[in-house]
Amino acid sequence: MTKKSILYTRTGDAGMTSLVGGQRVRKNSARLESYGTIDELNAQIGLLATYTGEEDRQQLIDIQSKLFVVGSYLATDTTQRELREQSIVTEEMVTQLEHTIDLLDASLPPLRLFILPGGTRGASVAHVCRTVCRRAERRILALQEELGFPLDPQVLAYVNRLSDYFFALSRKLNVEAGKEEILWQPRKK
């Protein structure tokens, strides 16, 4: 029988943690903020999946797996350690997500105005995922600025497309439920 691993190590009690490769960094560093926000997004996706049908749920599980790739990339200090193959965000991942967005969008009515987040619970959670995803994108950009060199452009492209996916999915979930989208009404002067 395999020995069970201990869930706590006590090595982070003073506000430090280890990156892939062992380098110790502060838990509030830009690197930790970037992949921590990806982890938060992944948890929100788990919640979102409870409000979807099987096809969307399987798509969301696939996205969760791919976010582990993104997180692993962000957790690796490439100046200290070479990336493992499972930590590389590929152009194919971006292209596949674009294809999924196109399929979702093809089934939706055209946009006339901005849409307020809301509708069904699932659509609302999809909007939360969209906004957490945008924050992750900002945290990744902050990491890039802190490092002083560009990160793999596929990482930013994937995260950018992912927020578009959540927007399209929120619309789809409302349409499927027969909920009208809540359109933004500009103030009249």
Side-chain angles (χ1 to χ4, degrees), residues 116-161:
L116 300 179
T120 66
R121 285 186 178 159
S124 297
V125 175
H127 278 290
V128 171
C129 289
R130 176 184 57 79
T131 61
V132 173
C133 192
R134 288 289 187 207
R135 179 162 32 94
E137 186 177 13
R138 293 189 301 272
R139 299 286 50 91
I140 294 167
L141 287 168
L143 171 61
Q144 186 168 270
E145 289 173 9
E146 181 181 283
L147 293 174
F149 60 85
L151 297 172
D152 182 343
Q154 296 305 323
V155 172
L156 280 168
Y158 185 79
V159 174
N160 186 32
R161 292 312 173 286

Side-chain angles (χ1 to χ4, degrees), residues 34-35 38 41 66-67 69-71 73-74 87-91 93-95 97-98 101 132-145 147 149-165:
S34 67
Y35 74 78
I38 291 294
L41 173 60
K66 288 183 170 108
L67 284 178
V69 175
V70 172
Y73 173 85
L74 295 170
S87 300
I88 297 172
V89 179
T90 65
E91 187 176 343
M93 289 167 59
V94 176
T95 303
L97 192 53
E98 288 173 343
I101 294 166
V132 173
C133 192
R134 288 289 187 207
R135 179 162 32 94
E137 186 177 13
R138 293 189 301 272
R139 299 286 50 91
I140 294 167
L141 287 168
L143 171 61
Q144 186 168 270
E145 289 173 9
L147 293 174
F149 60 85
L151 297 172
D152 182 343
Q154 296 305 323
V155 172
L156 280 168
Y158 185 79
V159 174
N160 186 32
R161 292 312 173 286
L162 191 53
S163 61
D164 296 331
Y165 164 79

Side-chain angles (χ1 to χ4, degrees), residues 73-126:
Y73 173 85
L74 295 170
T76 303
D77 180 351
T78 56
T79 65
Q80 303 292 316
R81 181 185 182 126
E82 195 170 309
L83 277 175
R84 291 184 238 159
E85 185 177 338
Q86 65 265 30
S87 300
I88 297 172
V89 179
T90 65
E91 187 176 343
E92 179 184 347
M93 289 167 59
V94 176
T95 303
Q96 181 184 23
L97 192 53
E98 288 173 343
H99 177 70
T100 302
I101 294 166
D102 291 342
L103 288 174
L104 285 173
D105 191 48
S107 68
L108 299 171
L111 284 172
R112 297 183 327 271
L113 290 169
F114 288 109
I115 296 171
L116 300 179
T120 66
R121 285 186 178 159
S124 297
V125 175

